[in-house]
């Protein structure tokens, strides 16, 4: 019979060895706050100064648009936005309001190559989109046009989608939707200009129709601003045979907060 003390010693030694191997990496690359990059105790956390600046979206919210209500309006109550302009997708959810630290994280991922943020942003997304993930069959990112991808070398939406897929166990289909039109940057465009900019910009590849046909597709993007982009993607997926489409983003510009002339707005 094996000595239990020997087993305990072996586990303890192995644990110490793992920590020792990790020390050089922690010395060279100490974990930093996902918001301000101050040094923190472990990767992916916010420091005490940044945490209060992250406004997570919580229920009660519109069951379609995911926009928060000030108080519980009762089951099935829809926001004015959902009633006045019904979307081509079934449900949209976001983890945080696009302000403060959430804005810094989105812009860090998108413009400063902070791909290390994607797994931590995805954790909050999985929390916010739990009901969508439970129903989904496949995860699809909003695609970049190949020219923009060539310049940037990565797609921030795909980085988030890959992390959501890994955390949820859902299949990841990064090439199901293609961006067939090189659109202008949405920054600085009015709402109607954004819609026109992405009109007919997306298409499900014929060889990828089998990946979405009849399935519930979860579309991932970094931020929901006016919804023009994800609406265009949802329409393309529906034309490609998708059964239903849900939208999950890290951040959301709340109705009434959108300003086309605000340089910090995606």
């Amino acid at each position: 019979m094996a000595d239990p003390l020997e087993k305990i010693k072996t586990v303890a030694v192995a644990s110490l060895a793992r920590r020792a191997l990790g020390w050089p990496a922690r010395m060279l690359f100490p974990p930093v706050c996902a918001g301000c990059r101050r040094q923190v105790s472990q990767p992916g956390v916010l420091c005490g100064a940044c945490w209060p600046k992250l406004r997570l979206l919580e229920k009660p919210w519109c069951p379609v648009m995911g926009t928060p209500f000030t108080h519980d309006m009762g089951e099935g109550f829809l926001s004015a936005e959902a009633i006045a302009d019904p979307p081509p997708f079934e449900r949209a959810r976001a983890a945080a309001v696009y302000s403060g630290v959430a804005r810094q994280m989105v812009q860090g991922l998108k413009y400063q190559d902070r791909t290390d943020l994607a797994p931590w942003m995805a954790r909050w997304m999985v929390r916010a989109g739990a009901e969508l993930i439970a129903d989904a069959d496949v995860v699809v990112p909003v695609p970049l046009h190949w020219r923009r991808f060539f310049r940037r070398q990565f797609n921030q939406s795909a980085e988030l989608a890959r992390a959501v897929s890994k955390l949820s166990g859902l299949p990841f289909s990064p090439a199901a939707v293609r961006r067939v039109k090189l659109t202008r940057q949405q920054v600085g465009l009015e709402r109607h200009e954004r819609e026109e900019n992405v009109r007919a910009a997306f298409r499900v590849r014929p060889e990828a129709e089998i990946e979405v046909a009849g399935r519930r597709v979860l579309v991932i993007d970094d931020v929901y601003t006016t919804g023009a982009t994800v609406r265009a993607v949802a329409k393309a997926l529906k034309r490609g045979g998708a059964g239903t489409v849900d939208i999950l983003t890290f951040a959301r510009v709340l109705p009434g907060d959108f300003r086309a002339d605000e340089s910090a707005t995606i």
Side-chain angles (χ1 to χ4, degrees):
M1 185 174 178
D3 184 354
L5 287 176
E6 284 300 318
K7 186 175 181 181
I8 292 170
K9 288 178 184 177
T10 302
V11 170
V13 169
S15 176
L16 284 170
R18 280 195 301 271
R19 282 190 227 169
L21 288 172
W23 283 337
R26 288 176 67 85
M27 291 286 287
L28 291 172
F29 308 104
V32 294
C33 172
C36 67
R37 309 204 73 173
R38 291 190 184 96
Q39 191 168 335
V40 291
S41 59
Q42 56 184 315
V45 302
L46 295 174
C47 69
C50 285
W51 176 251
K53 299 175 186 176
L54 180 69
R55 181 183 168 192
L56 297 175
L57 289 169
E58 306 278 357
K59 289 183 177 180
W61 51 39
C62 171
V64 174
M65 303 305 300
T67 47
F69 294 136
T70 54
H71 58 278
D72 193 347
M73 307 296 287
E75 187 175 354
F77 189 90
L78 299 181
S79 62
E81 181 185 11
I83 296 170
D85 188 16
F89 51 79
E90 274 58 48
R91 297 170 293 180
R93 298 289 184 271
V97 176
Y98 184 64
S99 63
V101 172
R103 175 183 290 177
Q104 292 170 20
M105 293 175 74
V106 168
Q107 295 187 344
L109 173 63
K110 191 167 186 173
Y111 299 124
Q112 299 166 23
D113 298 340
R114 291 288 312 279
T115 54
D116 58 293
L117 294 175
W120 309 106
M121 295 165 74
R123 290 179 184 274
W124 282 312
M125 293 170 69
V126 167
R127 173 183 175 272
E131 58 185 325
L132 279 58
I133 288 169
D135 295 336
D137 297 315
V138 62
V139 174
V140 172
V142 171
L144 286 178
H145 190 271
W146 69 266
R147 290 183 183 175
R148 190 159 289 148
F149 182 85
F150 183 77
R151 289 198 301 269
R152 192 178 291 174
Q153 296 297 305
F154 76 98
N155 175 4
Q156 74 280 356
S157 299
E159 295 299 318
L160 291 170
R162 183 179 292 106
V164 168
S165 170
K166 185 175 181 179
L167 290 168
S168 65
L170 290 170
F172 175 45
S173 185
V177 180
R178 176 181 295 166
R179 199 165 195 140
V180 295
K181 184 172 78 171
L182 182 59
T183 55
R184 296 166 57 193
Q185 290 280 3
Q186 296 280 66
V187 178
L189 298 183
E190 297 284 353
R191 188 178 300 268
H192 70 278
E193 291 175 320
R194 287 172 176 251
E195 293 172 359
E196 188 59 36
N197 189 39
V198 294
R199 192 183 304 279
F202 303 98
R203 187 178 303 157
V204 174
R205 298 179 305 117
E207 62 271 28
E209 287 183 1
I210 192 171
E211 299 177 36
V212 302
R215 309 183 80 186
R216 186 155 211 146
V217 180
L218 181 62
V219 173
I220 302 294
D221 204 3
D222 53 352
V223 58
Y224 186 115
T225 306
T226 65
T229 300
V230 293
R231 283 171 179 262
V233 172
K235 289 176 182 177
L237 283 163
K238 292 288 186 70
R239 288 194 297 268
T244 56
V245 179
D246 289 324
I247 309 297
L248 179 59
T249 63
F250 172 69
R252 171 74 193 260
V253 177
L254 295 181
D257 288 349
F258 172 67
R259 299 289 184 275
D261 58 350
E262 185 182 356
S263 61
T265 299
I266 299 290

